[in-house]
């Protein structure tokens, strides 16, 4: 055990695994958990091309997360506003605008997915699932970082366990189709490189969203190791899901909810409901991560002005205002259209305002010697 930035003892889990769990929490969301994003960006390249694209995205996530975590710790910047003030100077507002667009889009996707899950699983009106998700997000974000970290930990355990069961049941139900899908597939085909880069680019903003959990890091080595581990931790459930999807390639690419399609083919009593509850947990932790980042950004400004950090009421009010607008977008635009068009736009946006400055300006700052501690002049 060692002493972290928070001033309290930081465990091995908090230093090395929590950042990866938090990154997975932000990224997994509606399209990843339902399989719709996998169908959009990886299925068109076929079994081997899709896996190659996923491994490329994993590598990008690991490298960018390691750079982001190390730079954040060097600058002592644990909310996205402080981070981009240090990275971009006066141009930090460009990321603020891009992030708000990102939050509106992803929360609309989450709302649409929650509504679809409630309708498909329980026969609810679509609005009911969206409202339930919004209330759950508010419940967790209102009480600050400690409760958010607890959610990331236990929801991650549930998600990894359910995805492992998902692959086991898939192999038992249609394992022969999966094997033949890969055996008969040609080498990586299609523009798999573009798919991997696009998927990595709009999602890697999660490395900045989760900055509040980096306070447990105790050294630059912690930051780099946690970042490198974060990529595989984030992509593992997606790879398990994609392997199962290849039993029905290429038709699976046209399914709005590939997860629901595969669950019907398995026909395992009770597992369909468990899987849909897991997806709801994934939507919840992704939504919580996005709203919590906004709360921490506002709280950082408030504290810098010598006032107390945001309380429960203020956090709930900010989250509620953001969520109401996003749910209106979800009601007007479908899940497939949101993922297909909006996410490609976000990829270019974050390449410009985050990835390019990070790998150029950020790397240069990391390679410079750390500034010496300020010494008072002797009398």
């Amino acid at each position: 055990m060692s002493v972290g930035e928070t001033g309290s003892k930081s465990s091995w889990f908090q230093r090395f695994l929590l950042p990866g769990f938090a990154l997975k929490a932000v990224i997994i969301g509606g399209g990843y958990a339902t399989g719709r994003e996998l169908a959009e960006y990886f299925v068109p390249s076929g079994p081997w091309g899709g896996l190659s694209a996923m491994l490329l995205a994993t590598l990008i996530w690991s490298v960018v997360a390691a750079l982001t975590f190390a730079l954040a710790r060097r600058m002592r910047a644990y909310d996205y506003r402080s981070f981009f003030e240090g990275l971009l100077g006066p141009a930090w507002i460009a990321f603020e605008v891009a992030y708000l667009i990102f939050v509106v889009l992803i929360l609309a996707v989450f709302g649409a997915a929650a509504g679809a899950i409630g309708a498909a699983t329980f026969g609810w009106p679509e609005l009911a699932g969206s409202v339930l998700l919004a209330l759950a997000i508010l419940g967790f974000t209102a009480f600050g970082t400690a409760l958010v970290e607890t959610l990331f930990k236990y929801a991650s355990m549930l998600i990894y366990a359910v995805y492992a069961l998902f692959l086991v049941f898939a192999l038992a139900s249609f394992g022969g189709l999966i094997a033949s899908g890969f055996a008969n597939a040609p080498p990586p085909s299609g523009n798999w490189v573009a798919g991997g880069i696009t998927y990595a680019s709009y999602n890697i903003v999660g490395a900045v969203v989760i900055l509040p959990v980096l306070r447990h890091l105790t050294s630059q080595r912690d930051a780099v190791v946690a970042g490198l581990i974060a990529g595989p931790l984030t992509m593992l459930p997606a790879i398990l899901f994609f392997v199962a999807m290849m039993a029905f390639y290429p038709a699976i690419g046209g399914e709005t909810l590939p997860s629901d399609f595969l669950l019907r083919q398995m026909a395992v009593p009770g597992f369909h409901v468990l899987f849909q509850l897991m997806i709801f947990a994934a939507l919840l932790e992704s939504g919580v991560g996005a709203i919590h980042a906004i709360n921490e950004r506002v709280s950082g400004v408030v504290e810098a002005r010598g006032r107390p950090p945001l309380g429960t009421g203020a956090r709930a009010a900010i989250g509620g205002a953001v969520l109401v607008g996003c749910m209106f977008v979800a009601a007007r635009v479908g899940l497939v259209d949101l993922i297909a068009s909006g996410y490609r736009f976000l990829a270019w946006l974050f390449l410009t305002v985050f990835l390019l400055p990070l790998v150029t300006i950020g790397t240069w700052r990391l390679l410079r010697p750390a500034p010496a501690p300020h010494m008072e002049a002797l009398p």
Side-chain angles (χ1 to χ4, degrees):
M1 304 285 281
S2 53
V3 178
E5 295 292 338
T6 57
S8 59
K9 290 188 179 299
S10 297
S11 67
W12 186 88
F13 170 84
Q14 290 171 318
R15 292 161 56 205
F16 298 117
L17 295 184
L18 179 61
F21 282 5
L23 182 62
K24 181 270 304 162
V26 171
I27 288 176
I28 194 167
Y32 175 153
T34 62
R36 186 56 238 168
E37 285 180 3
L38 309 187
E40 184 71 34
Y41 297 105
F42 303 126
V43 169
S45 298
W48 296 114
L51 277 181
S52 299
M54 296 175 95
L55 293 176
L56 174 60
T58 302
L59 177 62
I60 293 171
W61 285 347
S62 288
V63 172
V64 174
L67 282 173
T68 302
F69 296 174
L71 185 60
R73 189 177 183 279
R74 169 72 69 89
M75 297 189 301
R76 300 294 191 266
Y78 298 114
D79 65 77
Y80 69 79
R81 183 180 188 273
S82 300
F83 181 88
F84 280 96
E85 279 186 324
L87 179 63
L88 300 177
W92 68 269
I93 192 67
F95 179 82
E96 182 93 77
V97 173
Y99 182 68
L100 291 177
I101 295 172
F102 167 77
V103 168
V104 170
L105 180 60
I106 65 165
L107 289 178
V109 170
F110 300 165
I117 289 168
T121 307
F122 304 109
W124 295 346
E126 292 208 355
L127 182 61
S130 299
V131 170
L132 180 61
L133 177 66
L135 292 175
I137 290 172
L138 287 180
F140 278 94
T141 54
F143 293 97
T145 300
L147 187 59
V148 170
E149 291 182 359
T150 300
L151 172 67
F152 289 165
K153 178 179 179 179
Y154 290 106
S156 295
M157 293 178 181
L158 171 67
I159 288 166
Y160 288 124
V162 172
Y163 271 112
L165 281 174
F166 182 81
L167 183 60
V168 169
F169 291 143
L171 291 172
S173 301
F174 39 80
L177 292 176
I178 295 173
S180 62
F182 278 95
N184 298 327
S189 59
N191 201 353
W192 64 268
V193 173
I197 292 174
T198 301
Y199 188 67
S201 297
Y202 76 78
N203 274 307
I204 195 52
V205 68
V208 180
V209 174
I210 66 165
L211 291 179
V213 309
L214 301 185
R215 290 184 171 91
H216 300 290
L217 300 178
T218 62
S219 66
Q220 290 299 86
R221 174 183 172 276
D222 281 6
V224 172
V225 172
L228 294 177
I229 291 173
L233 281 177
T234 300
M235 188 61 84
L236 178 59
I239 291 176
L240 298 179
F241 200 159
F242 180 80
V243 168
M245 290 172 69
M246 289 303 95
F248 302 97
Y249 170 79
I252 191 80
E255 293 289 331
T256 300
L257 292 175
S259 59
D260 198 57
F261 174 82
L262 292 177
L263 289 165
R264 290 198 304 269
Q265 311 311 310
M266 294 176 192
V268 178
F271 186 65
H272 189 283
V273 174
L274 176 62
F275 192 89
Q276 300 292 43
L277 290 174
M278 180 278 293
I279 292 180
F280 188 85
L283 297 172
L284 174 61
E285 62 175 5
S286 292
V288 165
I291 296 296
H292 183 61
I294 294 175
N295 279 337
E296 289 299 291
R297 174 257 191 269
V298 175
S299 188
V301 173
V302 169
E303 292 179 67
R305 295 175 179 174
R307 300 173 63 184
L310 291 184
T312 300
R315 289 176 180 272
I318 292 170
V322 174
L323 285 164
V324 167
C326 294
M327 294 309 170
F328 277 116
V329 175
R332 297 295 298 270
V333 186
L335 181 63
V336 175
D337 290 338
L338 282 168
I339 290 171
S341 56
Y343 280 13
R344 294 184 190 278
F345 168 73
L346 282 176
W348 285 106
L349 197 58
F350 287 128
L351 274 172
T352 303
V353 302
F354 174 36
L355 289 181
L356 290 179
L358 177 70
V359 300
T360 54
I361 301 170
T363 301
W364 173 71
R365 291 189 177 179
L366 282 171
L367 293 176
R368 288 191 307 169
H374 176 71
M375 300 289 290
E376 294 288 343
L378 294 175

